[in-house]
Amino acid sequence: MTQATYRHYPSFTRRYVRSVMKMLGLPKKPKVEAEIFREMVHDEQMVHSINGEILMLEWHHGREGRVVVPEPSLSEWLQTVQLSKVQGDAWSWPWEFSTLSFPARQTFHGHQVDGALVAWVDSTTLPDRYESFLSAHNNPHGVDMKGIGDPWLIVAIHNPLDDKPSLNPTMLRGAFKPSQITDFINREAIAYAGGRAQPLADEEGMILREVVRYVLSLGMYLSAYPEALSSGVPAWMKNKHPEARRGVPFAQVGVDREDRELRVAMTAPHTVSPYWRQLRDERFYRGKWASHRRGSRYVLVSGYEVGAGKTVGVAPVEP
């Protein structure tokens, strides 16, 4: 199996705290770093900002998250699969808190990206998530926010256009409720996030859009090929993950090389694009799929061999 070097998601918390220390001319000592962090989580304005949200998500990821590492050939191929028109609640993700690692040679809108932070959480639990994070750092105050009552997808990446990330690190972040996910799949558009978030510059928006599209395509792949997901450090990852010592578990996403249709789709001429087909019929949400939202399952249509019995990822269902 071919190994590849990966660009892993680095801690924004550490990068952000150390940037403040550098601006203040403070020594790089663990005790000083911890003190600066404590001051941050007691700053109400910072806690309510996008940066505060990222700190909270990273804190939970360190305790219950996954490091997701797709196989190199799969990772690059996912960017070529088309997203077809969908309806309703059109997507799901296996983990509440996760980070993605990308092969080092893979680019998004022409830029290398240092992994991605992906959260898929019930928004009604976010105030409690904030409270757990803040109380763990002796801040008794919560945040003034209400959940929207639906799963919420948050995708954040370190801004690859930062000139001096060690002095002023910034994040590109998109947040989507189910209807916005459906709209993105259908239109591949990112609207202004609102609130305290700043509108994204054109180049930044294009980079983030490609990353979000990748995340959605990977979620569709996992719904079509649940057997492709397994635990443990993948053999195809050449370099170590910076958080490996902390014990964050890995999830590896491979390619089913025994599946002929998938093999055909991944090796077909580039002029013939495969695409994801949404499954909406209630027949596909029985048995082990009964807990899944209707519309969140997908199958792969190779585009090279289309016809009866050529749809990938789902067995025929008897009426």
Side-chain angles (χ1 to χ4, degrees):
M1 179 179 295
T2 303
Q3 286 190 317
T5 300
Y6 279 79
R7 301 181 73 90
H8 301 297
Y9 177 84
S11 168
F12 174 73
T13 301
R14 185 178 301 114
R15 185 176 287 185
Y16 186 37
V17 171
R18 290 182 177 178
S19 71
V20 174
M21 293 168 61
K22 192 170 185 176
M23 285 190 294
L24 297 176
L26 298 174
K28 190 183 294 185
K29 295 182 178 180
K31 185 177 180 180
V32 176
E33 189 171 334
E35 180 60 31
I36 294 296
F37 179 72
R38 280 194 295 270
E39 292 179 5
M40 284 183 174
V41 296
H42 283 77
D43 183 332
E44 183 177 352
Q45 184 175 357
M46 196 287 300
V47 168
H48 283 81
S49 69
I50 294 299
N51 287 349
E53 177 188 83
I54 300 299
L55 298 188
M56 180 272 295
L57 294 175
E58 287 191 350
W59 185 81
H60 280 289
H61 177 266
R63 284 149 184 80
E64 52 188 293
R66 294 289 186 276
V67 175
V68 185
V69 187
E71 191 171 339
S73 59
L74 172 66
S75 188
E76 295 179 13
W77 175 75
L78 285 170
Q79 289 183 287
T80 69
V81 186
Q82 296 179 356
L83 307 183
S84 60
K85 293 292 183 180
V86 297
Q87 302 175 32
D89 294 340
W91 195 76
S92 65
W93 187 248
W95 311 276
E96 284 192 290
F97 304 98
S98 57
T99 59
L100 284 172
S101 298
F102 302 131
R105 67 181 184 181
Q106 189 165 359
T107 61
F108 296 85
H109 195 61
H111 297 273
Q112 292 179 318
V113 175
D114 292 332
L117 175 68
V118 181
W120 176 244
V121 294
D122 181 345
S123 68
T124 59
T125 68
L126 279 177
D128 291 336
R129 294 290 189 177
Y130 268 102
E131 184 176 343
S132 298
F133 165 64
L134 296 175
S135 61
H137 298 94
N138 300 314
N139 183 344
H141 306 291
V143 293
D144 183 17
M145 65 178 298
K146 294 181 180 179
I148 57 177
D150 286 306
W152 199 1
L153 170 65
I154 301 172
V155 179
I157 61 173
H158 292 263
N159 189 348
L161 301 183
D162 274 349
D163 291 330
K164 296 180 179 179
S166 63
L167 288 176
N168 184 30
T170 59
M171 299 289 287
L172 307 182
R173 170 261 196 193
F176 308 84
K177 58 185 180 180
S179 61
Q180 292 169 324
I181 294 174
T182 299
D183 186 57
F184 181 93
I185 294 172
N186 288 336
R187 299 195 302 122
E188 292 197 21
I190 294 181
Y192 170 43
R196 294 177 175 81
Q198 297 298 315
L200 295 174
D202 288 344
E203 186 74 6
E204 294 171 339
M206 294 296 289
I207 297 168
L208 182 59
R209 188 184 79 171
E210 285 203 14
V211 174
V212 172
R213 186 189 184 284
Y214 174 97
V215 172
L216 296 176
S217 188
L218 178 56
M220 295 172 183
Y221 176 83
L222 289 171
S223 79
Y225 299 96
E227 301 82 5
L229 177 63
S230 59
S231 300
V233 179
W236 54 75
M237 187 178 74
K238 182 183 297 185
N239 55 321
K240 294 182 179 180
H241 191 280
E243 302 296 327
R245 294 181 181 178
R246 299 177 181 268
V248 177
F250 283 80
Q252 49 183 298
V253 185
V255 177
D256 184 356
R257 289 172 171 77
E258 301 301 319
D259 190 297
R260 193 184 69 83
E261 284 83 5
L262 177 60
R263 199 166 61 245
V264 167
M266 293 185 69
T267 58
H270 291 297
T271 54
V272 184
S273 297
Y275 66 93
W276 297 113
R277 175 184 293 167
Q278 185 187 33
L279 298 177
R280 291 200 53 80
D281 194 287
E282 62 179 13
R283 297 176 299 163
F284 298 113
Y285 296 89
R286 298 172 182 168
K288 68 177 183 179
W289 302 104
S291 62
H292 288 64
R293 285 171 169 254
R294 185 175 174 183
S296 63
R297 287 193 65 195
Y298 288 82
V299 293
L300 178 70
V301 178
S302 71
Y304 192 68
E305 295 183 82
V306 178
K310 295 299 183 184
T311 301
V312 181
V314 61
V317 177
E318 297 297 332

